[in-house]
Amino acid sequence: TETGTEASVEAQRLRHEIEMQRSALGRDLEVLGDHVSPGAMVQRRRNAASQRIRGVKDRLMGVADSATSTVTG
């Protein structure tokens, strides 16, 4: 019957939608778990500190390059 086929198609669509939601939820939980992981926190802080140090170094080296060109120029 047509109603049985429609119900079957609808059930299949719902199963697919549920599987997509489960997959998305799994990814979200993985991201959340990584975000609160102590190791990941330490790595983010190390990266941030490295970037700050690199920024200071670049500013100082830029100043040194400017000073050298002023003295020699």
Side-chain angles (χ1 to χ4, degrees):
T1 66
E2 187 63 28
T3 346
T5 303
E6 289 174 5
S8 176
V9 169
E10 179 65 12
Q12 190 173 13
R13 185 189 70 75
L14 287 173
R15 280 189 207 99
H16 178 71
E17 188 175 318
I18 289 169
E19 184 55 38
M20 297 299 291
Q21 290 294 325
R22 282 182 182 157
S23 179
L25 181 58
R27 285 189 305 272
D28 291 347
L29 288 173
E30 188 175 318
V31 167
L32 181 60
D34 183 56
H35 186 73
V36 298
S37 159
M41 286 181 191
V42 168
Q43 188 59 44
R44 281 194 302 274
R45 287 182 183 223
R46 281 184 186 157
N47 291 344
S50 270
Q51 288 176 345
R52 284 191 301 272
I53 290 170
R54 201 170 300 122
V56 169
K57 178 182 169 189
D58 289 346
R59 284 194 302 272
L60 290 175
M61 295 303 286
V63 170
D65 289 343
S66 177
T68 302
S69 65
T70 302
V71 171
T72 59

